[in-house]
Amino acid sequence: MARWEPNARMRLVQAAIDLFCEQGYDSTTVAQIAERAGLTKTTFFRHFPDKREVLFAGQEEHRRLLAEGVAAAPADATPLKAVTAGLDALTASFTPEQREFAPRLAAVVAGHSELRERLAFKELDLAAALSDALRERGVPDPTASLAADLGIRAFSAAWAQWITPANSRSFPALAHDQLAGLHRAATTLT
């Protein structure tokens, strides 16, 4: 593969996942990832600060999509409807290519405590983006924080379903179902 070919970032992600699955996360180096992708180590570091972050590519884009989706919700939308709009914007951005490699990504993350910790930080960061966007709409705390937490829980559960090979439903539809189920569960707490 020539170094000038497009989509270096995705090539690096796929190369990393392949190598992590083949030889383990700890045994894989940045140089090996870059070589497998047909790129240089310098190119790797233009895209990612370290090998851990290659597995969490796109987090800033995810934050942006969530915030834009919430901002685009109708003015009279409830906090959960605004969260749904954010989830719609985010989940619609996921590609069939991402779905294809996602089960291997999930397995790599599940098998390494450092990566599970990084995933938890990613989820907290996405919840913060959602709650910030809700507060921009005038939603007070703790409502904004609670709605954001439900949204990210719904996103994570829907992602786990979406990557299951037997699943035939869209990621947005799964996220809607998860959020509705969490909302029903939350209303039974009173």
Side-chain angles (χ1 to χ4, degrees):
M1 200 174 291
R3 294 184 197 285
W4 55 265
E5 286 185 24
N7 211 359
R9 189 174 181 86
M10 187 56 68
R11 287 169 43 205
L12 288 164
V13 169
Q14 290 177 330
I17 292 169
D18 289 345
L19 287 166
F20 294 157
C21 289
E22 291 169 16
Q23 61 191 32
Y25 175 78
D26 290 324
S27 298
T28 300
T29 66
V30 167
Q32 291 170 325
I33 295 167
E35 182 180 333
R36 174 72 65 97
L39 300 164
T40 65
K41 219 166 108 170
T42 301
T43 301
F44 179 95
F45 287 117
R46 270 193 225 121
H47 292 279
F48 305 104
D50 58 44
K51 72 178 183 178
R52 177 184 66 177
E53 291 306 311
V54 75
L55 296 174
F56 299 95
Q59 183 167 347
E60 285 305 313
E61 177 76 2
H62 294 171
R63 286 179 56 85
R64 183 186 64 74
L65 289 168
L66 285 169
E68 287 176 358
V70 168
D76 63 346
T78 65
L80 281 181
K81 291 290 184 192
V83 166
T84 299
L87 290 177
D88 285 347
L90 176 56
T91 57
S93 74
F94 281 74
T95 65
E97 182 180 50
Q98 287 170 299
R99 183 176 182 211
E100 185 179 309
F101 69 71
R104 294 182 307 131
L105 169 76
V108 170
V109 171
H112 202 279
S113 62
E114 176 186 344
L115 299 175
R116 290 191 307 272
E117 179 180 355
R118 177 60 181 86
L119 176 60
F121 283 123
K122 177 182 178 176
E123 290 173 348
L124 287 171
D125 185 56
L126 294 178
L130 264 179
S131 62
D132 289 347
L134 289 168
R135 281 191 292 279
E136 293 261 331
R137 292 177 59 90
V139 177
D141 264 332
T143 304
S145 294
L146 180 58
D149 288 345
L150 289 175
I152 296 309
R153 285 181 181 276
F155 172 80
S156 296
W159 186 80
Q161 288 180 306
W162 181 65
I163 69 170
T164 303
N167 173 58
S168 61
R169 298 189 61 218
S170 73
F171 196 175
L174 293 167
H176 282 224
D177 287 353
Q178 287 295 327
L179 189 57
L182 289 168
H183 181 250
R184 281 191 303 277
T187 59
T188 64
L189 295 175
T190 58

